[in-house]
Amino acid sequence: MLTMLVLTCAGVGLTTTDTLRHFLTVRLDQQLTDTGGRYAASLERRGSEDPAGEPDESSDTRAQAPGTFGARLKDGTVTKAGVVDGDADDAAVEAGDVAADTDDLVRLTPRDQQALAALVVGGPAADVDLSSLHRYRMHAIAGHDGDVLVTGLPLRPVEDTVHRLVTVELLVFGVALAVTGVAGALWIRWSLRPLGRVVATAEVVSALPLSNGAVALSVRAPDDDPRTEVGRVGSALNRMLGHLEDALAQRQAVEERLRAFTADASHELRTPLASVRGHTELALRHRGPVPAAVRHSLTRIDAESQRMGLLVEDLLLLARLDAGRPLAFTEVDLTRIALDCTADARAAGPEHRWCLALPEQPVLVSGDADRLRQVVGNLLTNARTHTPQGTEVTLRLAAVRAGAVRLTVTDTGPGIGIQPPERAFERFVRGDHARSRSSGTTGLGLAIAHTVVEAHGGTLTVSSRPGRTAFTVQLP
């Protein structure tokens, strides 16, 4: 707005000053036309003798404005030049006195004479700069004796008037711009208050955790007047928030039903699975002759029922964690858990090389000891199960900074065949053949570890390339 106003003021200023200058110049030209060559012609008599035989040293300054310039040129050469200086002598001449007025003669330089000689006789008036005077508006006419009479009026009054107009315009426009800037800023700030309230509503909504759990979107934009642009924005935002609230409520209901179904199904499956395993073990202990095919089938039933039991336990744990079941937070010695889990992994996978890098002092954290033990055990089991024999697996524990602990499990295996590697934390995601589930794992170990770490307020990340795969747990 200020830019457009500045351009408008500049346009108005340039137009008015140019118009005023043109108007004053036209008036000056009219004065030159009215004056004619009377003053310049009177210069011809200066120095000549009057009828009584006396030298005539006067010039005709009657009705001539002070500063009027006159010059007589003969054959392109200035013979006489003078200016009405407005002193007492001029007044005497104007009163009809023939007293001498010798102070109004002007000395012209060769450059000034060239400029006067260049004037078009009988043509339009032109601007001429005289060295001993200021800029003049000059008009040349033909004299009676074959000479050229030049009459000029000073341009200083025109320029002074234009300068005063420019000064007034600058002051007026400056005050107008300052007042407009302050008033416009206040008015815009006042008019945009509804938009500020809409922005505040959007910021409140953007700060809400919408990724999971029950979300209350009761906040609405207070300005929803459809007659204004901001009101239409607020109304559209409110409609969007309403649709989003409905969608989140439906998502939450579906998730709760799914968690309830998973938890109930897992809980109910525990009993029949335990019964199947019991009957299988009882049949395998039968002392009588059992055909080899039947014994093999019973062995497979027992192995699969154990695997299904682990799967059911994992699903039940995930359902409880998703439901937000509180963990039993106590002081946990993470160093002891790392030692125990590495010893268990070494016993389960003696064909791997197991390395430990522990600090000298015990690392203590606040958390659920059983769940943290399960996290470390799952990471080591994942490294043992999905890497070939002879792979080196390193568990490193360190306090990286005040209030933070980092546990890293690194192996030198072929890497994760999933892109991006973070998909390994999803449930029932299969990788390449090197990390398949042929060993009978449930496929939920990393998902459980990721969920447990998040429940402790930490993060579990992975980076993988052939020859190095690292799972990093960071806990507060």
Side-chain angles (χ1 to χ4, degrees):
M1 182 182 66
L2 286 177
T3 301
M4 292 195 307
L5 187 58
V6 167
L7 294 177
T8 302
C9 291
V12 171
L14 292 175
T15 302
T16 54
T17 53
D18 185 69
T19 301
L20 179 62
R21 180 181 287 109
H22 177 73
F23 172 75
L24 295 178
T25 303
V26 170
R27 286 188 57 184
L28 208 61
D29 293 346
Q30 185 63 41
Q31 292 179 17
L32 288 174
T33 302
D34 295 341
T35 300
R38 186 168 61 252
Y39 175 62
S42 67
L43 294 175
E44 298 179 13
R45 300 193 305 272
R46 175 169 290 195
S48 63
E49 293 183 352
D50 60 7
E54 296 294 333
D56 186 0
E57 296 296 336
S58 66
S59 57
D60 187 0
T61 61
R62 291 171 295 176
Q64 303 296 324
T68 301
F69 173 83
R72 176 178 177 269
L73 288 83
K74 187 68 173 178
D75 298 329
T77 303
V78 178
T79 59
K80 292 289 182 63
V83 62
V84 178
D85 53 13
D87 56 11
D89 293 337
D90 291 334
V93 172
E94 289 178 2
D97 193 352
V98 294
D101 181 13
T102 60
D103 296 333
D104 57 355
L105 295 180
V106 178
R107 294 185 179 274
L108 300 177
T109 64
R111 180 176 174 275
D112 295 338
Q113 296 188 26
Q114 292 177 1
L116 293 176
L119 292 174
V120 179
V121 179
D127 295 344
V128 177
D129 284 326
L130 298 178
S131 57
S132 60
L133 302 174
H134 195 63
R135 294 187 66 203
Y136 265 71
R137 189 74 172 171
M138 300 289 188
H139 180 59
I141 61 175
H144 297 292
D145 300 331
D147 54 0
V148 176
L149 305 179
V150 177
T151 305
L153 290 174
L155 285 171
R156 183 182 294 275
V158 175
E159 295 177 353
D160 291 343
T161 303
V162 173
H163 289 164
R164 283 195 295 270
L165 175 63
V166 171
T167 302
V168 172
E169 286 180 337
L170 289 176
L171 291 175
V172 173
F173 291 159
V175 173
L177 288 172
V179 172
T180 303
V182 175
L186 295 176
W187 174 64
I188 291 174
R189 186 180 299 274
W190 177 83
S191 63
L192 291 182
R193 287 186 304 169
L195 184 59
R197 291 190 287 268
V198 172
V199 171
T201 302
E203 289 177 346
V204 170
V205 174
S206 66
L208 295 176
L210 305 179
S211 59
N212 52 47
V215 179
L217 283 178
S218 58
V219 60
R220 292 293 186 272
D223 300 277
D224 55 358
D225 187 358
R227 296 173 297 179
T228 64
E229 291 85 352
V230 176
R232 290 197 290 271
V233 173
S235 179
L237 178 62
N238 290 339
R239 287 196 301 273
M240 183 186 69
L241 291 177
H243 297 327
L244 185 59
E245 184 178 22
D246 294 340
L248 292 176
Q250 294 179 8
R251 183 203 67 182
Q252 182 64 16
V254 171
E255 289 182 354
E256 289 179 353
R257 287 197 298 269
L258 182 59
R259 292 193 194 103
F261 169 78
T262 304
D264 293 341
S266 301
H267 182 73
E268 294 298 328
L269 284 174
R270 292 166 118 187
T271 301
L273 282 174
S275 179
V276 169
R277 291 182 60 186
H279 285 291
T280 304
E281 291 178 0
L282 182 61
L284 288 174
R285 293 177 182 177
H286 183 64
R287 297 181 179 179
V290 179
V294 175
R295 181 171 294 277
H296 175 73
S297 298
L298 291 175
T299 303
R300 292 303 305 147
I301 291 174
D302 182 61
E304 291 301 321
S305 62
Q306 290 183 17
R307 181 174 180 274
M308 187 176 294
L310 294 175
L311 178 61
V312 168
E313 293 294 334
D314 290 344
L315 287 174
L316 183 59
L317 174 61
L318 285 173
R320 289 174 176 174
L321 292 174
D322 290 341
R325 295 283 183 89
L327 300 175
F329 278 84
T330 58
E331 188 177 73
V332 180
D333 186 352
L334 205 56
T335 306
R336 171 55 58 187
I337 292 179
L339 287 169
D340 294 342
C341 291
T342 305
D344 296 341
R346 182 179 289 109
E351 66 281 358
H352 285 67
R353 290 181 295 164
W354 301 94
C355 301
L356 265 175
L358 303 177
E360 295 181 358
Q361 299 297 325
V363 177
L364 304 178
V365 297
S366 178
D368 190 314
D370 294 335
R371 296 294 168 249
L372 291 177
R373 186 182 300 273
Q374 189 172 12
V375 169
V376 179
N378 285 356
L379 294 178
L380 293 175
T381 301
N382 177 77
R384 172 179 58 83
T385 305
H386 300 300
T387 56
Q389 296 182 5
T391 300
E392 181 180 300
V393 181
T394 303
L395 189 152
R396 188 180 304 275
L397 181 62
V400 291
R401 63 177 185 273
V405 174
R406 178 179 298 167
L407 183 145
T408 306
V409 175
T410 308
D411 67 67
T412 58
I416 298 177
I418 304 173
Q419 293 299 328
E422 289 76 13
R423 288 192 58 212
F425 300 129
E426 297 178 8
R427 300 168 191 184
F428 302 111
V429 173
R430 291 184 179 272
D432 59 2
H433 180 71
R435 289 183 180 265
S436 66
R437 298 176 186 171
S438 58
S439 59
T441 58
T442 63
L444 296 174
L446 293 180
I448 291 175
H450 188 267
T451 305
V452 170
V453 171
E454 285 189 339
H456 281 79
T459 58
L460 174 57
T461 57
V462 60
S463 62
S464 180
R465 56 180 172 80
R468 187 181 187 278
T469 299
F471 289 89
T472 304
V473 177
Q474 189 154 318
L475 295 172

